Amino acid sequence: MPAASPSPATTPATATNPTAPAQARTTSPANRLKGGLGGRFGPVALVVAAGISVQFGAALAVMIMPRAGAAGVVTLRLAAAALVLLAVCRPKVRGYSRADWGTVVAFGVAMAGMNGLFYQSIDRIPLGPAVTLEVLGPLALSVLVSRRLVNLLWAGLALGGVVLLSGHGGGGLGFGSLDPLGAAFAVGAGAMWAAYIVFSARTGRRFPQADGLALAMAVAAVISLPLGVAQAGSALLVPSTLALGLGVAVLSSVLPYTLELLALRRLPAPTFAILMSLEPAIAATAGFLVLHQAMSLLDALAIALVIAASMGAVRAQRG
């Protein structure tokens, strides 16, 4: 199922929302920058860059959790990201249908749930196993919605790498030694990740450039704010914590979500979902470089399997 109109001359707004042609033709510097990102780099490169950014942002978030707690870090991340995106995109709020707004709200709910559950997970279990469990959501999505038999093969290969990494990632911790609640949070985050993929693609088709993303991020920030304030309180206002939270927001929300939204306009959802199998490999690398979590030879083999699956998915999509 294509994530965007096949015609590059037709923007998502004009294809599905005839009331917003002026927005689609906006030529502000922010819109030209976002359009350049979508055209200059291939969609696969956008997805890979997004994965690198979000996993190194997650590693940074682990380091600041003792200051603000998991819910506090989520609030800082989403609130800062919403402010940045709203300032850059300056999205219009008129000319959209009730269905358009319903899609944005659903996207924001999925985003808030995905982030909240994932950060609760990495507060309890290592980053590598958490992402390994989380990526099962996109893998399941790829199998459920794919219409090509070959995608089942690549999903199976990626799943094999995920299972192999699960037994040895994060410093040799298998799933049997993980905190059960942390593992459950990771699986729940995976389910919300699958919903995020679906509603990100729909939002990209209904709203021009990254306007829908900015509005959905604001929805997610509003949802997470009460939980963050309840857990962290005044710790959220400490200048050093705010600065680190802004860094997490840029690395884990602003940059990757923008890149993924642009990629989903040109990648089928099944291919995008299989590319998400790269996330455990990227997370293991981030854990090694930032959190000093060692990788074994089996970890390297698992990484090779998920990369091979991703390359196969890309070749299948091009065919």
Side-chain angles (χ1 to χ4, degrees):
M1 180 178 63
S5 169
S7 172
T10 302
T11 67
T14 57
T16 59
N17 188 2
T19 63
Q23 298 173 25
R25 295 193 300 267
T26 301
T27 56
S28 67
N31 284 339
R32 287 198 299 270
L33 173 61
K34 290 175 285 188
L37 281 173
R40 188 173 303 143
F41 302 103
V44 175
L46 293 176
V47 175
V48 173
I52 293 173
S53 181
V54 75
Q55 295 307 330
F56 277 86
L60 177 60
V62 171
M63 299 174 65
I64 66 174
M65 277 184 184
R67 300 186 181 200
V73 172
V74 172
T75 296
L76 285 173
R77 168 182 169 174
L78 294 179
L83 291 174
V84 171
L85 284 172
L86 289 173
V88 171
C89 299
R90 291 174 292 176
K92 299 289 192 287
V93 295
R94 295 181 179 180
Y96 297 111
S97 67
R98 181 176 298 179
D100 294 334
W101 285 111
T103 300
V104 160
V105 170
F107 187 21
V109 171
M111 199 181 303
M114 178 180 67
N115 282 280
L117 291 170
F118 178 70
Y119 276 76
Q120 290 293 335
S121 174
I122 63 175
D123 193 33
R124 293 169 171 82
I125 63 177
L127 181 61
V131 177
T132 301
L133 281 171
E134 187 191 26
V135 83
L136 295 179
L139 282 173
L141 176 66
S142 71
V143 173
L144 290 174
V145 306
S146 175
R147 297 180 180 178
R148 303 189 64 182
L149 184 61
V150 68
N151 278 332
L152 298 178
L153 171 64
W154 300 125
L157 183 61
L159 182 60
V162 166
V163 171
L164 183 60
L165 186 62
S166 73
H168 302 276
L173 291 175
F175 287 162
S177 62
L178 296 178
D179 176 80
L181 185 58
F185 280 135
V187 173
M192 299 305 294
W193 193 356
Y196 160 83
I197 292 172
V198 172
F199 287 107
S200 178
R202 293 181 182 179
T203 300
R205 292 194 296 265
R206 290 178 176 271
F207 289 81
Q209 308 299 339
D211 287 7
L213 173 63
L215 295 170
M217 190 71 74
V219 172
V222 170
I223 293 173
S224 68
L225 185 60
L227 298 175
V229 171
Q231 181 176 42
S234 60
L236 295 175
L237 301 179
V238 176
S240 59
T241 302
L242 283 173
L244 290 171
L246 179 61
V248 172
V250 172
L251 286 174
S252 295
S253 294
V254 176
L255 183 58
Y257 290 170
T258 301
L259 295 178
E260 288 176 358
L261 184 144
L262 293 172
L264 276 165
R265 288 176 174 165
R266 292 190 288 161
L267 274 181
T271 302
F272 179 87
I274 296 176
L275 283 171
M276 291 297 96
S277 63
L278 283 171
E279 297 287 346
I282 299 172
T285 303
F288 174 74
L289 295 176
V290 180
L291 303 175
H292 309 293
Q293 297 174 349
M295 289 191 296
S296 67
L297 290 177
L298 286 176
D299 295 334
L301 177 59
I303 289 172
L305 286 176
V306 294
I307 289 176
S310 298
M311 292 175 63
V314 171
R315 289 177 62 87
Q317 187 267 336
R318 287 179 177 173

